Amino acid sequence: MQKRWNGLWGSVCLGLMLSGCGGSGGMSGARPAEMNIALLGFNDFHGNLEAPGVAIRTTNAAGQSVAVPAGGAAYLAGAIAQRRSANQHMAVVTAGDMVGASPMVSSLFLDEPTVEALNLMGIDFSATGNHEYDQGSQELLRMQNGGCEKYTSKEPCQISKPFKGAQFPFLAANTLRADGSPLLRSSGVKFFEENGARIGVGFIGTTLKTTPRMVRQSGVQGLTFADEADTANALIPALRAQGADVIVVLIHEGGYATSGLQDASCAGLSGDILPILDKLSAEVDVVISGHTHQAYLCDYQRVNPAKPFLLTSAGRYGTLLTEVQLKVNTASRKVTAKSARQIIVQGEAITTGSTKVPLQTEFPVFAADSAVSQLVSTYRTAVAPLAAKISGVLDGSALRSANSAGESVLGRMVADSMLHATSDAASGGAQIALMNSGGVRADLVPESASGEVTYGQLYSVLPFGNNLVVMSYTGEQLQRLLELQFNSGTNTVTQPRILQISNGFSYEFDLNQPAGQRIANMRLNNDPIQASSTYRVAIQSYLSTGGDNFSTFTEGKDVIGGMIDLDAFVAYVRERSAQQPMALPTTPRIVRR
């Protein structure tokens, strides 16, 4: 039977669906004056079923800085199980981007294995992030409800026949259909009981309202994304009526902080989540956030005394779990104390490049969950033959790390592959290619001294499956769209979003100049770009609809569609390395004044 989670969940607990829901400590003791409730939160998992090769930098008991290897779905499940055994009352929740931009072992199967792994972990509620909409709203509903309907170019139900969908509700309170109804569930309540005391914790899930600028327009057609704070505040009375004593907001928006891993001082807190926090009701007790891939803890009343909630984020890729501890007075039904800590999901040693990161035994080492391990193994085996296929040879490592102008070697390489695939007249006659940096998802490091790279590695660089698009823009429009790198929504002077550019195109920028005058000396093959002349530009379908706040891209004319970006990238690497290792594009094309 299909599951349907639309609208508010009633006050019933649905204990069979939510593990530990309504758990009772029995009636043998006296009614407690306080109840301890734990929340485990994480965010931006992005289908990282296998250990992502990430080390968490922290400080040990001796005050020394150490790198702790982290991540892997089986170890994440093991950590959740260990914390569940240590806490009588606990909920496990996420703040979005569980799927999308995933490694091949998940994304090749439309992230079905990630949802299945989350089911095994016993997730209670999951907010949607922008990446949950990457494949469109119908595919998101399939992720929730299950089934094998085909909504994308990839085949569903390749392993699981049928795919059963998420056994937990996705929450998307501010994602609305044309008639104003929510696309998915808005909120839910989990109840905890102990010796006659009963406390309800209400959860509201929202994605960032700028989601339409971050995904294909066709994927969110007919949907609107309402203000995050206004939506959450409006739901609190209904949650109270259902019995929620504690209010938790799961939001896929985030910030940045300069504080240490376990420091809740909010030092250096900045980012797009701040105006949302300042609009949220003071009735909110905890905000579990995401999107920026940053780890932070923040006692927000230190920033705004009128907003005494706890703010957390657990970084990315399942490398951290945030454990929030709440003390709730069972008479007043109010939170009397709250704290949070980050748990590093350490399970196995890793190697990043040529650096080995050993286990740090002074920090907890978690056992792998056997069921999740078996699940990951099944999908790894299925994908292995294609992933291991050699697709080219490089003369070095192509990395995403950017220079002072925001360019990376791998970004240039991807842009060059786009231009190569679209430069002939039949494919669009592109003269320039522009690539969004955020779409380049993994470094390309040869696995051996010979420089060989595999299809699986190339897939990890471009996992979204965007189509290439060629459109015409005037020189004046090119100037305006490049200016948007520094002055458009989340693209700012302090946090610019630099587009990667193809060979032959170049320009300079000066952030000390006024908005609209920062781009200068645009050239194509050393000839100045003329404001009134028309140029053919290759971009991804994501950017063509104004993604990443680049609204000027929507002004393009004479559209010609092209192949999938990954296919273009694979063909380019294979061709350029057919006779000898491919030389990497190390020469800068953008000059920062």
Side-chain angles (χ1 to χ4, degrees):
M1 178 183 295
Q2 261 195 347
K3 303 181 295 299
R4 301 207 181 273
W5 304 101
N6 295 332
L8 285 172
W9 199 21
S11 60
V12 295
C13 188
L14 295 185
L16 291 178
M17 286 189 188
L18 297 180
S19 59
C21 187
S24 173
M27 297 298 293
S28 59
R31 177 187 173 96
E34 290 184 324
M35 190 182 294
N36 296 318
I37 296 174
L39 309 176
L40 279 187
F42 62 104
N43 51 276
D44 296 277
F45 184 61
H46 290 292
N48 277 265
L49 299 175
E50 300 176 284
V54 171
I56 300 297
R57 180 65 61 176
T58 189
T59 303
N60 64 14
Q64 301 167 319
S65 177
V66 294
V68 183
Y75 301 118
L76 178 62
I80 290 172
Q82 193 276 334
R83 297 315 303 151
R84 188 176 273 122
S85 68
N87 289 280
Q88 181 179 356
H89 307 301
M90 191 177 81
V92 185
V93 295
T94 87
D97 277 8
M98 294 298 99
V99 298
S102 306
M104 190 177 182
V105 70
S106 182
S107 62
L108 189 66
F109 304 101
L110 285 165
D111 282 315
E112 292 172 4
T114 292
V115 172
E116 292 168 343
L118 295 173
N119 287 341
L120 291 171
M121 294 177 198
I123 303 301
D124 289 302
F125 300 100
S126 180
T128 58
N130 53 289
H131 282 290
E132 268 80 6
Y133 300 84
D134 281 342
Q135 303 298 330
S137 60
Q138 288 181 304
E139 178 64 9
L140 173 54
L141 290 173
R142 191 182 75 87
M143 288 290 100
Q144 177 70 91
N145 298 321
C148 297
E149 295 84 359
K150 182 181 170 80
Y151 298 116
T152 77
S153 61
K154 297 175 184 175
E155 289 297 325
C157 300
Q158 296 179 58
I159 304 295
S160 296
K161 301 179 185 293
F163 170 61
K164 295 180 180 180
Q167 305 302 304
F168 54 89
F170 286 111
L171 302 183
N174 64 328
T175 305
L176 307 176
R177 302 175 190 265
D179 63 1
S181 64
L183 176 71
L184 292 156
R185 285 276 307 285
S186 296
S187 61
V189 182
K190 183 169 183 177
F191 292 94
F192 301 92
E193 297 181 4
E194 183 178 341
N195 295 333
R198 189 171 191 256
I199 296 295
V201 181
F203 297 90
I204 300 167
T206 71
T207 190
L208 66 174
K209 65 182 178 183
T210 56
T211 292
R213 302 178 192 173
M214 299 183 176
V215 301
R216 299 172 184 151
Q217 289 298 299
S218 59
V220 293
Q221 188 172 3
L223 300 177
T224 57
F225 292 78
D227 183 85
E228 305 95 334
D230 291 345
T231 298
N233 291 343
L235 287 169
I236 292 174
L239 282 175
R240 295 290 195 205
Q242 293 177 64
D245 306 298
V246 179
I247 302 296
V248 179
V249 173
L250 311 174
I251 180 170
H252 192 70
E253 181 59 282
Y256 304 85
T258 58
S259 50
L261 189 66
Q262 307 292 359
D263 180 4
S265 68
C266 315
L269 185 67
S270 63
D272 292 330
I273 199 170
L274 293 183
I276 299 172
L277 297 176
D278 289 333
K279 287 177 63 179
L280 273 180
S281 167
E283 292 187 61
V284 173
D285 296 290
V286 180
V287 178
I288 297 176
S289 65
H291 187 55
T292 58
H293 292 195
Q294 303 297 304
Y296 47 79
L297 306 173
C298 172
D299 179 4
Y300 196 68
Q301 65 183 343
R302 301 187 185 193
V303 178
N304 183 344
K307 308 292 181 178
F309 36 72
L310 192 61
L311 169 69
T312 74
S313 177
R316 58 176 180 156
Y317 303 162
T319 56
L320 294 169
L321 276 171
T322 306
E323 182 172 304
V324 175
Q325 289 288 344
L326 304 174
K327 285 187 179 295
V328 185
N329 185 288
T330 58
S332 68
R333 313 182 79 80
K334 300 291 186 183
V335 175
T336 59
K338 49 192 148 185
S339 62
R341 66 177 181 129
Q342 303 285 19
I343 299 171
I344 302 174
V345 180
Q346 181 180 210
E348 64 183 45
I350 62 171
T351 300
T352 58
S354 60
T355 303
K356 293 184 178 181
V357 183
L359 289 173
Q360 299 289 341
T361 55
E362 61 185 306
F363 296 90
V365 178
F366 297 100
D369 178 271
S370 59
V372 175
S373 290
Q374 182 57 52
L375 174 78
V376 176
S377 178
T378 297
Y379 282 97
R380 184 193 297 119
T381 300
V383 81
L386 178 59
K389 185 178 180 180
I390 301 301
S391 293
V393 184
L394 308 183
D395 69 357
S397 296
L399 306 181
R400 293 173 295 165
S401 53
N403 62 17
S404 61
E407 278 191 285
S408 71
V409 171
L410 186 53
R412 296 186 198 108
M413 187 172 164
V414 172
D416 288 348
S417 74
M418 294 166 60
L419 181 63
H420 182 70
T422 57
S423 58
D424 65 279
S427 300
Q431 301 163 279
I432 298 168
L434 303 174
M435 173 67 191
N436 62 309
S437 298
V440 181
R441 302 301 295 192
D443 292 331
L444 192 53
V445 179
E447 295 185 337
S448 67
S450 64
E452 291 180 337
V453 290
T454 64
Y455 180 81
Q457 289 179 287
L458 300 184
Y459 189 104
S460 296
V461 173
L462 296 173
F464 293 112
N466 280 296
N467 286 91
L468 299 183
V469 178
V470 182
M471 292 193 282
S472 293
Y473 298 91
T474 65
E476 183 271 336
Q477 288 173 317
L478 273 175
Q479 169 104 21
R480 281 196 286 115
L481 71 84
L482 292 176
E483 291 282 352
L484 295 178
Q485 296 174 120
F486 322 108
N487 187 32
S488 176
T490 55
N491 309 339
T492 65
V493 169
T494 56
Q495 294 181 19
R497 185 175 270 123
I498 302 297
L499 295 168
Q500 304 300 293
I501 65 175
S502 58
N503 189 35
F505 183 52
S506 63
Y507 68 89
E508 302 173 2
F509 71 86
D510 185 347
L511 296 181
N512 293 316
Q513 296 301 313
Q517 301 178 35
R518 294 177 176 131
I519 300 296
N521 198 24
M522 291 190 300
R523 291 180 174 271
L524 180 60
N525 300 322
N526 289 323
D527 294 327
I529 294 286
Q530 302 297 323
S532 59
S533 296
T534 298
Y535 302 88
R536 297 290 285 166
V537 180
I539 53 178
Q540 294 174 312
S541 52
Y542 168 69
L543 284 179
S544 70
T545 56
D548 281 350
N549 299 309
F550 287 101
S551 56
T552 303
F553 277 122
T554 63
E555 300 175 14
K557 297 180 179 180
D558 303 321
V559 180
I560 293 181
M563 66 172 68
I564 299 293
D565 55 2
L566 173 64
D567 294 341
F569 190 48
V570 171
Y572 180 72
V573 172
R574 182 181 295 119
E575 179 180 325
R576 289 301 174 100
S577 60
Q579 303 300 323
Q580 59 185 11
M582 177 181 171
L584 301 180
T586 57
T587 303
R589 300 164 185 176
I590 304 172
V591 175
R592 178 175 180 174
R593 295 300 185 192

